[in-house]
């Protein structure tokens, strides 16, 4: 369809393969679309649906073999496309399993149209489920060090807007509930598949792990009764595609929560909204990150300025602190008392320099999750050598710049009074540079710009404080 390349097994009408042609499997493989659903020796991840119950077509002995008018279908510029699979059961009922595709959409309507040509009532329940093994997430092979994206099942109830369980926990934490206006999904890095039942029905949701180790999340709808000579329709919607918040929110309440920013979502969500707003003007996610960093820096300017003034004053009193330590070298209590008196007299706070780091860390962690979870940044270039902001810098240039900026920033700070602490602080830029080598380039870009802006701000404030002290 342009957005989906889907394979359907005539035996049961299950969706056994979904490829996403607008998303590449790898940046350097332009002809290979990302594979979301598949059934092969590498992975089993499929979407199944059918009819069970008194007249159900799916039984313990097998599934029905559907017929179709063609082996392949193409949207070919149309707004929508119906793909009909047909089957006549033993009672004479004609059953059409219809897949309705829409242009530029990852959402597929799936219907069962049941025509009862018999002399008795026809009764069955519709079910839909996602079946997946526990193999690793194919989209998470470039996340680098640190926090890993969620892989598992997710759903919602009216009481709990978002419930998620990893595959490893499904055995011990099975889910079972009657749900109205819900959905069920398998969530991985950047992408999701989900069944979305009709909003006006209450369905039996459940999860299980079978003896072969396959993970299931499914729902069963209330029975549909088809009188002789009547036609009834029952079905669901199926989504297979990127975790695009705007699209998911429009499909079902709470489905956008599968873009999971963790417990700092209340910071991450506004950051993403601001970054998206900026991107609407600059058209490049790298520059959006830079402008977002500048915005955050301006937002916290008063607090940062207060901290840098405290550090500048600490630099001025460093000689007096050294003199106190030498004078009371053998009396730690007297040394501490003298230090406290000095801080009071000079109006400095020895802990003031910690504030910028404390301010930055929640934003840093939140932005990490934004960059990790936002499919918009997957394979998004900035400039030059950075062709994918969601993966590590291939030449380690940004981490090295970050390390140098951190070293310069450290030199602007007053040296720690403890010699051992001073040595540890000298090692910190090296440690962070090494650690950041594997971080997403977009996150390192944020940290580099943040450090450079901090250096400029701290340098200006230090000069002002030193000039004011010299004028006294």
């Amino acid at each position: 369809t342009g957005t989906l390349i889907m394979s359907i097994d005539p035996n049961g009408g299950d969706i056994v393969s979904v490829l996403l042609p607008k998303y590449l499997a790898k940046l350097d493989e332009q002809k290979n679309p990302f594979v979301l659903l598949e059934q092969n020796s590498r992975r089993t991840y499929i979407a199944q649906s059918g009819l069970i119950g008194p007249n159900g077509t799916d039984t313990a002995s097998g599934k029905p073999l559907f017929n179709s008018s063609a082996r392949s279908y193409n949207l070919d510029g149309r707004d929508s496309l119906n793909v009909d699979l047909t089957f006549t059961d033993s009672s004479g009922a004609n059953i059409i399993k219809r897949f309705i595709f829409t242009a530029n959409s990852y959402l597929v309507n799936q219907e069962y149209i049941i025509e009862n040509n018999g002399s008795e009532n026809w009764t069955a329940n519709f079910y839909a489920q996602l079946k997946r093994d526990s193999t690793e997430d194919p989209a998470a092979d470039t996340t680098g060090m640190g926090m890993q994206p969620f892989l598992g099942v997710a759903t919602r109830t009216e009481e709990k807007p978002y419930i998620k369980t990893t595959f490893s926990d499904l055995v011990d934490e099975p889910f079972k509930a009657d749900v109205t206006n819900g959905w069920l999904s398998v969530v991985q890095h950047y992408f999701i598949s989900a069944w979305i039942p009709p909003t006006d029905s209450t369905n039996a949701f459940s999860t299980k792990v079978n003896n072969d180790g396959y993970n299931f999340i499914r729902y069963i709808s209330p029975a549909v009764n088809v009188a002789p000579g009547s036609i009834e329709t029952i079905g669901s919607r199926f989504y297979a595609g990127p975790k695009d918040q705007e699209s998911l929110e429009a499909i079902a309440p709470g489905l956008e929560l599968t873009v999971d920013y963790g417990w700092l979502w209340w910071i991450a969500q506004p950051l993403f909204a601001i970054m998206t707003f900026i991107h609407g003007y600059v058209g490049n996610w790298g520059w959006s990150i830079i402008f977002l960093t500048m915005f955050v820096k301006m937002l916290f300017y008063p607090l940062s300025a207060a901290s840098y003034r405290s550090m500048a004053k600490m630099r001025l009193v460093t000689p007096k602190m050294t003199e106190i330590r030498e004078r009371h070298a053998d009396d730690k209590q007297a040394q501490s008392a003298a230090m406290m008196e000095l801080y009071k007299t000079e109006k400095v706070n020895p802990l003031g320099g910690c504030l910028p780091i404390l301010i930055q860390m929640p934003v840093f962690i939140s932005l990490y999750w934004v960059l990790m979870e936002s499919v918009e940044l997957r394979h998004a270039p900035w400039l030059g050598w950075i062709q994918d902001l969601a993966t590590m810098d291939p030449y380690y240039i940004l981490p090295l710049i970050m390390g140098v900026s951190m070293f310069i920033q450290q030199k602007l700070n007053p040296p720690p009074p403890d010699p051992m602490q001073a040595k540890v602080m000298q090692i910190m830029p090296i440690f962070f540079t090494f650690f950041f080598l594997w971080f997403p380039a977009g996150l390192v870009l944020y940290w580099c710009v943040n450090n450079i802006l901090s250096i400029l701000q701290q340098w200006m404030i230090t000069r002002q404080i030193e000039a004011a002290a010299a004028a006294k």
Side-chain angles (χ1 to χ4, degrees), residues 122-145:
W122 190 100
T123 303
N125 300 77
F126 172 82
Y127 81 91
Q129 67 185 19
L130 294 164
K131 174 184 177 182
R132 195 191 190 283
D133 56 27
S134 297
T135 53
E136 63 182 10
D137 185 346
D141 57 351
T142 55
T143 56
M145 296 176 63

Side-chain angles (χ1 to χ4, degrees), residues 226-248:
V226 187
S230 299
I231 298 176
E232 296 288 344
T233 301
I234 189 172
S236 181
R237 292 180 295 165
F238 176 69
Y239 181 89
K243 291 195 289 186
D244 178 87
Q245 292 188 58
E246 185 176 355
S247 299
L248 295 177

Side-chain angles (χ1 to χ4, degrees), residues 43-117:
R43 181 174 294 105
T44 294
Y45 178 13
I46 61 177
Q48 300 173 303
S49 61
L51 300 171
I52 57 176
N55 297 109
T57 57
D58 294 50
T59 65
S61 59
K63 297 186 174 188
L65 180 62
F66 288 95
N67 295 310
S68 61
S69 61
R71 290 183 57 85
S72 62
Y73 298 80
N74 197 305
L75 198 62
D76 285 332
R78 289 171 287 179
D79 292 332
S80 63
L81 169 70
N82 289 358
V83 175
D84 286 353
L85 309 181
T86 61
F87 175 76
T88 302
D89 69 7
S90 57
S91 70
N94 292 326
I95 299 172
I96 298 175
K97 189 171 187 176
R98 174 171 291 170
F99 295 83
I100 305 173
F101 299 89
T102 306
N104 302 314
S105 177
Y106 296 94
L107 189 65
V108 180
N109 286 336
Q110 200 251 281
E111 299 176 343
Y112 272 93
I113 304 170
I114 304 151
E115 181 182 7
N116 185 3
N117 296 317

Side-chain angles (χ1 to χ4, degrees), residues 257-268:
L257 297 178
T258 55
V259 183
D260 190 356
Y261 292 141
W263 66 276
L264 285 172
W265 61 268
W266 50 281
I267 298 177

Side-chain angles (χ1 to χ4, degrees), residues 14-17 36-40 43-49 63 127-135 152-153 167 170 184-186 188 193-195 206 208-219 238:
D14 295 334
I15 300 170
V16 294
S17 173
L36 182 55
L37 271 63
E38 57 186 321
Q39 187 174 38
N40 47 45
R43 181 174 294 105
T44 294
Y45 178 13
I46 61 177
Q48 300 173 303
S49 61
K63 297 186 174 188
Y127 81 91
Q129 67 185 19
L130 294 164
K131 174 184 177 182
R132 195 191 190 283
D133 56 27
S134 297
T135 53
V153 302
F167 291 138
L170 270 187
L184 50 84
S185 67
V186 168
Q188 65 182 58
S193 66
W195 285 107
S206 63
K208 73 171 184 177
V209 181
N210 70 4
N211 294 332
D212 295 324
Y214 291 114
N215 306 285
F216 293 85
I217 182 166
R218 71 179 332 202
Y219 84 85
F238 176 69

